[in-house]
Amino acid sequence: MDERPEVIVVGAGSAGSVIARRLVDAGKRVLLLEAGGSDENPVIQDPARLGEIWHSSDDWDYFTVPQRHAADRRLHLPRGRVLGGSHSLNAMIYVRCAPQDYDHWESLGNTGWGWKDVLPVFKKIENYDGPPSDLRGTGGLLDVTVDYPLNPIQQSIIDAAVESGIPENPDYNGEELDGVARQQLTIRDGERLSTWRAYAAPILDSPLFTVVTGAWVHRLLLDGTRVIGVEYERAGEVIKIEADQVVLTAGAIDSPRVLLRSGIGPATELARLGIDVVADLPGVGENLHDHLLSPVIFSTDREIEPPIPGTGITQSHLFWRSAPELEVPDTQPIHFSVPMYEDWMEGPAWGFTLMGGIITPASRGRLTLAGPEPRAGVLIDLNALAEEADLLALEASVRQVRAIGTAPALAEGWGAREIYPGPEVDDDASLRDYVRRTVITYHHQVGTCKMGVDELAVVDPRLRVYGVTGLMVADASIMPRVTSGNTNAPTIMIGEKAAEFFLN
Ligand SMILES: Cc1cc2nc3c(=O)[nH]c(=O)nc-3n(C[C@H](O)[C@H](O)[C@H](O)COP(=O)(O)OP(=O)(O)OC[C@H]3O[C@@H](n4cnc5c(N)ncnc54)[C@H](O)[C@@H]3O)c2cc1C
């Protein structure tokens, strides 16, 4: 870019790609800085190869600190370090989540974020190929498909859930979430469709748009409390670049990381790290939370087919309330056509996995810098399963999917036999122990730069960072409370809202 950018967007992930597109469309000169590289790797584009990218150079490959309530294990937190961000390595499931989630955000003082406000944004995003509905969008940039072939085991899992008393829901993004359903996926022509591909890549020819990959932003540049640009490292060189505005879209781990390195965060902690305090914002890195899973793995009498080309290893899930009085479903089991063994597990090559899962966690953790240097790393404490309520809900979800595995469509249709937890896990205490030993992330970290009007809020309801000017944060980190379901669609919505705020 020869001319000075008007806006620097940091991170070409789910939200950043959307914001960049909308700002360029509105005539802004945008520089998009992405730490990772191209998304041309065929593993990324093939929906069936989900997971192969973990621990590769396209994964930030974060780990938590040992989790006290999860058998002292360090949980792996893959995050996309590549164009498309985590949308380049996620399961592509599109869930708008519950209307009550957004009404709750609004009730916290976040005017403009209620369901009535965000529903039109979701409709604008979508190009949905399911049955027509006033609640769904069809002209958006992001293809959302339900029109794909199901692996036979996935159809049997849906049938078994119905046999267990769970209603089938033809559109969990419609009237209500509850029920078992085939997943709606962001796939186009059999290939992953990230927001990078759907929004940003088509405007690469624009003279207003510059994308720099391999550009790892170390910190913000400030003039007093005014953000005037960023400092980034590329191929060993440290580069400073100025702009009128900076939008941080580095995700729930890296956005707070950049803020902390820039002196924006809890004053006492920054002082301890030897970082000059620019703005004392005690909420930066706090309120970290995530959805959690625990696997139930079954063997089968007959071989399960590998994924049909262009489809993935998970194609169905269900939303269920572990207590009927709950306002929204608190569990979301997800179903895989393969056995998802942990390192210490063994079993046959084919089988299937029903993951028990919780989506309204009460536990809250935090993250902070391990040291002041960019490479010092980050200490991530999810505090997984710290709250009894989370354990109870996850145990209920595991019990439910164990029962689904015994329904005729699976037990008789496939000879399904539970191998993990297995028959020896037959009472409450051993189930609790199993859940603590096997809990893993659902990959939905949020909340570390939360939006709000209280003393722990990092951004205001228009996503401007408190205490400084010229800076927005607009990604999954701003969610005050995680949505009841997968976080990609909500994050894309946040990107769209951020662009609207920026331009108006
Ligand atoms: C394995 C996995 C599976 C998932 N499955 C699903 C799913 O099926 N459905 C769903 O709804 N959600 C899913 N999620 C969650 C969803 O993908 C995320 O919530 C969403 O992508 C978050 O978007 P974001 O914009 O906040 O961050 P990201 O998409 O992670 O984008 C952040 C970007 O910023 C870049 N970046 C970070 N730091 C810097 C820096 N300092 N300088 C420059 N660039 C930087 C990163 O490389 C990245 O490209 C999954 C996540 C994972 C990891």
Side-chain angles (χ1 to χ4, degrees), residues 43 47-56 89-90 192 313:
V43 173
R49 299 180 71 181
L50 177 77
E52 280 183 45
I53 205 167
W54 293 10
H55 306 300
S56 76
L89 52 67
N90 74 12
R192 172 186 298 276
I313 55 171

Side-chain angles (χ1 to χ4, degrees), residues 206-256:
S206 167
L208 294 173
F209 192 33
T210 303
V211 181
V212 181
T213 53
W216 180 34
V217 172
H218 285 176
R219 63 182 183 98
L220 304 164
L221 299 174
L222 287 121
D223 178 5
T225 55
R226 190 164 64 88
V227 174
I228 56 168
V230 305
E231 179 181 287
Y232 67 95
E233 180 182 330
R234 185 162 195 266
E237 191 187 354
V238 175
I239 299 159
K240 290 183 167 65
I241 181 140
E242 296 194 357
D244 302 338
Q245 303 269 341
V246 174
V247 183
L248 205 45
T249 54
I253 309 295
D254 282 283
S255 283

Side-chain angles (χ1 to χ4, degrees), residues 18-52:
V18 172
I19 295 167
R21 168 63 184 263
R22 295 303 185 199
L23 297 189
V24 171
D25 281 355
K28 299 285 176 199
R29 210 163 39 255
V30 174
L31 172 63
L32 177 58
L33 297 177
E34 167 55 45
S38 139
D39 69 344
E40 295 294 330
N41 182 348
V43 173
I44 293 177
Q45 302 316 325
D46 182 349
R49 299 180 71 181
L50 177 77
E52 280 183 45

Side-chain angles (χ1 to χ4, degrees), residues 10-16 33-36 54 60 78-82 84-87 89-95 215-218 249-252 254 258 261 442-444 475-477 486-489 491:
V10 179
S14 299
L33 297 177
E34 167 55 45
W54 293 10
W60 286 90
R79 308 282 313 170
R81 183 183 185 157
V82 57
S86 297
H87 202 176
L89 52 67
N90 74 12
M92 298 158 288
I93 308 163
Y94 183 88
V95 184
W216 180 34
V217 172
H218 285 176
T249 54
D254 282 283
V258 172
R261 279 207 305 259
Y442 215 139
H443 310 294
H444 300 155
D475 55 31
S477 71
N486 314 55
T487 44
N488 202 33
T491 305

